[in-house]
């Protein structure tokens, strides 16, 4: 039952004056003070009650001062007034509210209990020190804080009452107040008398003056600001967590950052255990059931070497029901257990190794917090205290949950990135050539490195066998990273192979490839907009017979050449526009390469980085290539070590090294074919003689038939000049017939009574493969015959 205090509201005189100076309120206190009844003054000008001049009251503020006011009996009374300007509640106008105490009271007497209450009974811990900084007075609150009675402590200096460097700091502050006469605030963290834990304190020091104004001592008021201090610490910890956790897209690194963040600020030992993706098919489960398999991602301890841990990062363990990890995961919320509460005993029996560690290190409190993000449970963070004497409380729970939630989002981001990166890497590996073909034209070696942070991209390379022992080399770079870039790269690589199969010249091939990129960009943009699809490409065709290489590039870095017994040099090529601009021409260039020349094709991620520009990178590439001309595999590794010493690159990197090989002139035979079909027989005879010279007598019958059909077709349907060429490789015999008619032949099904139409079908059946290619002055029909056994 509440107590009703007999407060006397009439002890204060109160009056309200309207904006025009009319009295509108007059209370009983005002009647007591001046004798006028309310009905005698309300509604009349307030100035009529003044015996002196009317003060100029400032609008919209507060005013106080002494006014001479007429009493009812006629004498003048000096009244101290406090006037406040405020708007009326009913919106009818603004008004002044005047208040004054009805009776004056003097200062408390020496024996008045209220006189001592200001110091002794104040809830604020207060003490007064004299000019020698010796204790003169302190109230009950200060005696409780210091743990000393005033009678015994009086006369001691502050540094004699409190030990430690903090007391010296406060004593210096008190001396400063004595010297300067100015108040001073000092914040410190110290343990009060008789306490086991330190507190945050705000010491407010002010000078104590005598009636003459001389400083005669210092008044010290101590305020326990531990709650505010802890709140600031927690806020600072949360802010630091947002900066220090999630610096990379690596799950293990992020988990370690969470553990590092919380030790020793929140716990003495922290473990981060995540659900094993392999156990659940790569994705966290919607519901957790015990026993649950967790993989140790990270841990941290205040002790060197993390001796509390019973498992190392990377190891897995199955946690049964009743363990803090499994219980918090299945419950979906934080679980705090302490030795004092007795709730640590049920789960200490499930693992004897952990039980020994708990006893050995004196673990007395644990807190298990589920690591959850976007509705998925990723794992659990366990916080342990064994050095700090206090257990976990509700504030610790909130702080741990806040930091863990922030870290969980970063871990989930890293997990999703890793999954996408692995998917993109698998796609990239499936789209890039696993091995390079072995050809008579060149020896090749390659390397591909995904970007260290941005992930896989659209860099690709390829070596494509063409007709006539020629080989195409290609390297390209699609704008962007991730699965989309890899998929675009796959489409472009397939398109290049298709266009190369019809033996397009390098500049024509890039023109068709440019059209494809434009269409891809339109599809990616949708609604007629242009999507962000672009690429660069370098395409080169090397002919081992002529030892000439034809190249064209579309905004790609030019290749480097390392001649045998020479210095590396950059091949000058027309730059060409990047793919995707549409409608711009490409130019080809042709160079003759000495046998044994190494040609280096690469993407700009190899030579360009944040630390260096392309010129510096190319200079380093020159140095790496000239360091040795032995194995191309060794050269590839040396190039990567030289330009990417840390093992990572800001952008993905593709590198293709190829050493040219020439075909001896003795392996090539050429005949000019006359226009008379009757002269085909002598040509066949010369072909058979050439095969005998090469030791290929067993292939003579098939070769004679193929040559006869191709030459006869050229005489019948082609245009002069007509030329036959045989190329003998170790495993292949190639027949080529060229003429000036650009029209390419095609297979057709001959009817029963047709006299012709079966020639090319016969060629297709007798050869390993056949085809046609356009030349600058016509076309070439070619066929390859496998050589299973070489004579001689």
């Amino acid at each position: 039952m509440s107590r009703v205090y007999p407060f006397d509201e009439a002890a204060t005189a109160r009056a309200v004056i309207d904006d025009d100076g009319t009295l509108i309120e007059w209370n009983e206190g005002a009647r007591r003070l001046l004798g006028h009844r309310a009905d005698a003054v309300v509604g009349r000008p307030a100035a009529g009650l003044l015996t002196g001049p009317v003060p100029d009251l400032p609008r919209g503020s507060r005013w106080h001062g002494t006014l001479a006011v007429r009493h009812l009996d006629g004498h003048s009374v000096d009244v101290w007034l406090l006037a406040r300007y405020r708007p009326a509640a009913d919106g009818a106008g603004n008004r002044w509210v005047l208040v004054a105490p009805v009776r004056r009271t003097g200062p408390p007497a020496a024996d008045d209990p209220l006189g001592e209450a200001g110091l002794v009974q104040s809830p604020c811990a207060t003490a007064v020190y004299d000019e020698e900084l010796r204790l003169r007075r302190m109230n009950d609150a200060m005696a409780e804080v210091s743990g000393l009675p005033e009678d015994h402590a009086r006369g001691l200096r502050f540094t004699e009452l409190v030990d430690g460097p903090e007391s010296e700091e406060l004593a210096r502050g008190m001396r400063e107040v004595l010297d300067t006469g100015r108040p001073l605030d000092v914040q410190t963290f110290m343990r009060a008398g008789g306490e086991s834990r330190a507190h945050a304190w705000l010491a407010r020091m002010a000078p104590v003056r005598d009636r003459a104004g001389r400083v005669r001592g210092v008044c010290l008021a101590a305020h326990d600001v531990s709650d505010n201090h802890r709140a600031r610490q927690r806020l600072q910890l949360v802010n630091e967590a947002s900066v220090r956790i999630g610096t990379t897209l690596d799950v293990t690194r992020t988990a370690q950052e969470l553990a590092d963040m919380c030790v020793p600020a929140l716990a003495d030992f922290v473990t981060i255990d995540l659900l094993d993706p392999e156990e659940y098919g790569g994705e966290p489960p919607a519901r957790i059931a015990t026993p649950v398999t967790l993989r140790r991602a990270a841990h941290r301890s205040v002790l060197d070497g993390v001796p509390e841990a019973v498992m190392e990062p990377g190891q897995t363990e199955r946690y049964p029901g009743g363990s803090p990890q499994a219980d918090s995961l299945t419950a979906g919320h934080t679980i705090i257990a302490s030795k004092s509460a007795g709730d640590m005993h049920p789960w200490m029996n499930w693992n004897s190794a952990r039980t020994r560690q708990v006893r050995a290190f004196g673990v007395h409190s644990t807190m298990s917090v589920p690591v959850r993000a976007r509705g998925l449970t990723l794992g659990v963070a366990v916080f342990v205290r064994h050095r700090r004497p206090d257990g976990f409380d509700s504030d610790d729970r909130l702080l741990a949950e806040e930091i863990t939630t922030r870290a969980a989002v970063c871990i989930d981001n890293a997990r999703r990135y890793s999954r996408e990166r692995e998917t993109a890497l698998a796609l990239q590996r499936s789209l890039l050539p696993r091995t390079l073909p072995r050809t008579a034209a060149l020896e090749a070696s390659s390397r591909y490195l995904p970007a260290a942070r941005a992930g896989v991209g659209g860099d690709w390379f390829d070596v494509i066998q063409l007709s006539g022992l020629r080989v195409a080399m290609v390297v390209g770079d699609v704008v962007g990273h991730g699965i989309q870039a890899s998929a675009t790269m796959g489409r472009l690589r397939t398109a290049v192979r298709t266009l190369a199969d019809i033996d397009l010249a390098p500049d024509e091939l890039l023109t068709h490839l440019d059209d494809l990129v434009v269409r891809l960009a339109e599809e990616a943009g949708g609604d007629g907009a242009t999507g962000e699809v672009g690429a660069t490409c370098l395409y080169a065709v090397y002919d081992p017979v002529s030892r000439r290489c034809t190249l064209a590039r579309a905004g790609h870095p030019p290749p480097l050449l390392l001649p045998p017994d020479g210095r590396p040099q950059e091949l000058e090529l027309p730059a060409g526009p990047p793919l995707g601009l549409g409608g711009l021409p490409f130019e080809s260039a042709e160079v003759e390469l000495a046998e044994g020349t190494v040609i280096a094709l690469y993407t700009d991620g190899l030579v360009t980085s944040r630390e260096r520009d392309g010129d510096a990178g190319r200079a380093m590439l020159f140095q790496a290539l000239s360091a040795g001309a032995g194995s191309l595999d060794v050269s590839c590794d040396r190039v990567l070590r030289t330009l990417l010493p840390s093992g990572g690159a800001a952008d993905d990197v593709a590198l293709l090294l190829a050493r040219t090989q020439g075909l001896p002139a003795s392996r090539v035979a050429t005949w000019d074919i006359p226009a008379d079909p009757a002269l085909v027989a002598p040509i066949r005879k010369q072909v058979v003689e050439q095969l005998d010279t090469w030791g290929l007598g067993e292939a003579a019958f098939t070769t004679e038939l193929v040559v006869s059909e191709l030459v006869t077709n050229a005489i019948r349907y082609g245009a002069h000049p007509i030329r036959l060429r045989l190329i003998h490789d170790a495993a292949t015999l190639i027949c080529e017939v060229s003429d000036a008619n650009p029209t390419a032949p095609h297979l057709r099904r001959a009817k029963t009574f047709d006299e012709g139409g079966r020639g090319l079908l016969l060629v297709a059946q007798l050869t390993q493969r056949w085809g046609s290619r356009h030349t600058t002055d016509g076309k070439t029909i070619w066929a390859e015959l496998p050589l299973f056994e070489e004579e001689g």
Side-chain angles (χ1 to χ4, degrees):
M1 183 175 178
S2 62
R3 179 178 178 183
V4 178
Y5 291 90
F7 292 137
D8 184 5
E9 297 295 340
T12 298
R14 184 176 186 273
V16 179
I17 302 174
D18 207 345
D19 248 353
D20 60 0
T22 303
L23 274 167
I24 58 176
E25 287 187 27
W26 187 266
N27 77 338
E28 176 62 19
R31 189 200 65 78
R32 289 185 184 181
L33 181 63
L34 298 176
H36 302 283
R37 296 174 56 87
D39 55 4
V41 294
V42 171
R44 297 184 178 183
L49 294 176
L50 299 179
T51 59
V54 178
D56 184 14
L57 301 182
R59 299 284 179 176
S61 62
R62 192 180 69 169
W63 178 90
H64 65 87
T66 302
L67 294 178
V69 185
R70 181 179 292 105
H71 194 272
L72 179 62
D73 59 10
H75 74 277
S76 180
V77 180
D78 291 335
V79 179
W80 181 88
L81 292 174
L82 173 63
R84 299 190 306 275
Y85 188 75
R86 64 172 60 173
D90 56 3
N94 299 326
R95 52 193 60 181
W96 284 93
V97 178
L98 289 73
V99 294
V102 174
R103 61 179 181 271
R104 294 282 182 173
T105 59
D111 58 350
D112 189 342
L114 295 182
E116 294 186 357
L119 174 65
V120 178
Q121 299 182 23
S122 171
C124 176
T126 307
V128 177
Y129 292 84
D130 60 18
E131 293 175 285
E132 296 181 357
L133 295 184
R134 297 185 181 278
L135 179 65
R136 181 65 64 88
R137 292 293 308 272
M138 68 177 175
N139 63 0
D140 295 342
M142 181 63 81
E144 182 178 357
V145 167
S146 64
L148 298 171
E150 179 187 8
D151 293 341
H152 295 157
R154 188 181 298 114
L156 296 178
R157 296 183 185 276
F158 184 82
T159 53
E160 296 170 338
L161 294 170
V162 182
D163 292 327
E166 297 84 1
S167 65
E168 294 288 347
E169 180 185 7
L170 291 177
R172 285 194 297 271
M174 295 168 70
R175 285 194 294 270
E176 181 179 341
V177 172
L178 283 176
D179 294 338
T180 64
R182 292 191 298 268
L184 178 67
D185 290 350
V186 176
Q187 294 191 21
T188 185
F189 196 79
M190 59 188 298
R191 188 170 62 243
E195 288 188 327
S196 59
R197 293 181 56 187
H199 288 252
W201 296 93
L202 172 62
R204 314 203 73 166
M205 294 172 277
V208 177
R209 303 178 184 273
D210 58 16
R211 294 183 182 274
R214 293 175 300 178
V215 178
R216 303 300 299 273
V218 178
C219 178
L220 171 67
H223 304 271
D224 188 349
V225 293
S226 299
D227 291 340
N228 292 336
H229 179 75
R230 282 194 295 269
R232 287 196 303 269
Q233 279 189 321
R234 294 174 191 278
L235 180 59
Q236 182 180 359
L237 193 62
V238 171
N239 290 337
E240 289 183 7
S242 63
V243 175
R244 292 173 51 185
I245 299 177
T247 59
T248 66
L249 286 172
D250 181 81
V251 173
T252 303
R253 176 70 178 274
T254 305
Q256 188 62 55
E257 289 170 346
L258 170 59
D260 295 344
M261 187 75 237
C262 297
V263 175
L266 186 58
D268 300 322
F269 174 50
V270 174
T271 63
I272 313 297
D273 296 331
L274 302 179
L275 292 168
D276 190 2
E278 299 177 2
E279 184 80 10
Y280 302 98
E283 277 294 312
R287 297 184 61 185
I288 307 295
T290 55
V292 57
T293 300
L294 296 173
R295 183 181 298 274
R296 175 63 51 84
H299 54 214
R300 181 65 184 271
S301 171
V302 293
L303 304 177
D304 294 336
V306 197
E308 306 98 322
V310 297
M311 56 188 297
E312 294 299 322
Q315 295 179 341
T316 60
E317 187 170 353
R318 293 178 68 84
Y319 291 86
S323 62
Q325 291 87 346
D327 284 355
S328 62
L329 288 176
T330 54
H333 59 75
T334 302
I335 294 179
I336 297 178
S338 64
K339 195 171 183 180
S340 60
D343 44 16
M344 287 178 56
H345 299 297
W347 55 263
M348 285 182 62
N349 297 326
W350 72 273
N351 189 298
S352 58
R354 281 183 166 79
T355 301
R356 287 194 298 270
Q357 296 297 82
V358 167
R359 292 172 177 168
F361 292 96
V363 173
H364 60 82
S365 185
T366 67
M367 179 169 53
S368 305
V369 182
V371 180
R372 292 178 55 84
R374 302 182 177 99
L376 293 176
T377 300
L378 308 177
V380 60
V382 179
F383 303 84
V384 176
R385 285 182 179 176
H386 54 73
R387 275 197 169 184
R388 294 174 59 165
D390 51 316
F392 293 107
D393 55 22
S394 58
D395 289 339
D396 295 324
R397 177 203 296 265
L398 293 175
L399 179 59
E401 290 176 346
E402 174 69 20
I403 295 177
T404 303
T405 299
R406 289 174 180 253
V409 174
C410 298
I411 291 174
D412 189 51
N413 290 340
R415 180 189 66 84
R416 292 170 184 264
Y417 167 78
S418 299
R419 184 184 60 184
E420 180 177 341
R421 177 181 169 86
E422 290 171 1
T423 303
L425 279 172
L427 175 62
Q428 185 88 335
R429 283 192 293 265
S430 69
L431 295 175
L432 289 174
R434 296 188 178 183
T435 58
L436 298 179
R438 302 184 63 179
T439 69
L442 51 82
E443 171 195 359
S445 182
S446 62
R447 294 292 186 273
Y448 171 77
L449 288 179
R453 295 198 177 195
V456 296
D459 289 16
W460 90 93
F461 59 89
D462 211 345
V463 174
I464 307 169
Q465 290 180 292
L466 304 177
S467 61
L469 293 183
R470 295 171 307 125
V471 176
M473 296 167 285
V474 59
V475 63
D477 183 0
V478 175
V479 174
H481 295 87
I483 294 178
Q484 185 63 41
S486 295
T488 302
M489 176 273 288
R491 299 175 73 172
L492 295 184
R493 178 171 178 252
T494 302
V496 169
R497 279 190 160 266
T498 302
L499 295 172
D501 195 49
I502 59 177
D503 261 318
L504 289 179
D507 54 340
E508 295 181 26
L509 183 143
L510 291 181
T511 300
H512 287 281
L513 200 62
D514 182 49
D515 294 338
L516 173 61
V517 174
V518 170
R519 290 195 297 273
L520 292 178
E522 292 174 350
E523 295 174 4
D527 301 326
T530 301
E532 294 182 359
V533 178
T536 63
C537 185
L538 171 65
Y539 185 79
V541 176
Y542 174 69
D543 186 348
V545 177
S546 65
R547 293 180 173 83
R548 301 190 70 83
C549 185
T550 306
L551 309 94
R553 64 185 178 121
H556 200 85
L560 301 183
L561 298 181
L562 177 62
D565 303 325
R567 298 182 60 185
Q569 59 185 7
E570 187 174 84
L571 184 61
E572 294 186 4
L573 290 178
L579 299 175
L581 297 183
L584 298 177
F586 299 94
E587 297 182 50
S588 293
E590 188 174 77
V591 295
E592 184 171 352
L593 301 178
E595 184 173 0
T597 298
V598 175
I599 180 169
L601 290 78
Y602 59 91
T603 55
D604 57 4
L606 179 66
V607 296
T608 305
S609 68
R610 296 178 180 177
E611 293 78 19
R612 62 173 183 266
D613 57 15
D615 292 339
R618 280 187 287 274
M620 296 174 65
L621 181 56
F622 288 163
Q623 179 183 2
L625 288 175
S626 59
S631 167
L632 291 182
D633 277 336
V634 174
S635 296
C636 282
D637 293 337
R638 181 172 59 251
V639 167
L640 295 183
R641 284 196 308 269
T642 302
L643 281 91
L644 308 173
S646 61
D651 195 4
D652 47 341
V653 171
L655 172 65
L656 176 63
L657 298 183
R659 179 179 287 115
T660 62
Q661 301 172 167
L663 196 67
S666 59
R667 294 293 186 101
V668 182
T670 305
W671 294 270
D672 291 325
I673 307 299
D676 187 356
L679 298 179
V680 174
I683 295 298
R684 291 202 304 265
K685 182 179 179 182
Q686 295 177 32
V687 167
V688 173
E689 292 174 352
Q690 182 64 52
L691 293 180
D692 289 338
T693 302
W694 285 341
L696 303 177
E698 291 188 357
F701 177 75
T702 303
T703 306
E704 190 175 0
L705 287 176
V706 172
V707 168
S708 179
E709 289 296 334
L710 295 181
V711 171
T712 301
N713 280 344
I715 295 175
R716 184 176 300 174
Y717 304 109
H720 278 79
I722 301 173
R723 177 171 294 179
L724 168 65
R725 184 170 74 164
L726 294 183
I727 303 174
H728 172 213
D729 183 25
T732 307
L733 178 65
I734 301 173
C735 301
E736 294 183 346
V737 177
S738 304
D739 69 88
N741 186 349
T743 303
H746 62 278
L747 285 175
R748 64 183 179 88
R749 184 181 295 278
K751 298 179 182 179
T752 305
F753 299 104
D754 287 350
E755 295 183 0
R758 298 177 177 84
L760 288 181
L761 179 62
L762 178 63
V763 171
Q765 296 296 320
L766 293 176
T767 60
Q768 179 173 278
R769 62 177 188 146
W770 76 280
S772 65
R773 67 175 181 268
H774 290 282
T775 62
T776 56
D777 52 2
K779 68 177 181 297
T780 296
I781 312 299
W782 55 270
E784 292 183 1
L785 289 79
L787 299 178
F788 300 105
E789 183 177 349
E790 184 174 349
E791 296 182 358

